[in-house]
């Protein structure tokens, strides 16, 4: 039997910094819209990725 291939990372560490910056900008742009809390939570989760 062959062993399954190891999963490769889709995003680099630098990519997460770019995503955090983009999401933070968008969250500021949409301000108080109902979905803004979802972007705030996403930004928090992205901040935990190292």
């Amino acid at each position: 039997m062959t062993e399954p291939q190891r999963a490769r990372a889709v995003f680099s560490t630098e990519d997460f910094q770019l995503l955090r910056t983009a999401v933070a900008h968008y969250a500021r742009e949409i301000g108080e819209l109902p979905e803004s809390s979802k972007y705030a939570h996403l930004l928090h989760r992205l901040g935990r990725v190292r």
Side-chain angles (χ1 to χ4, degrees):
M1 283 178 93
T2 62
E3 291 186 29
Q5 290 185 347
R6 183 177 170 185
R8 289 184 279 163
V10 176
F11 296 110
S12 71
T13 305
E14 184 177 331
D15 293 339
F16 283 105
Q17 179 59 44
L18 293 170
L19 288 168
R20 280 193 296 270
T21 301
V23 170
H25 175 76
Y26 185 69
R28 285 190 301 272
E29 289 293 314
I30 63 171
E32 298 298 320
L33 292 177
E35 66 266 20
S36 65
S37 65
K38 292 180 182 181
Y39 287 96
H41 293 295
L42 174 59
L43 188 58
H44 176 74
R45 290 191 304 273
L46 285 170
R48 295 175 55 182
V49 175
R50 303 253 178 235

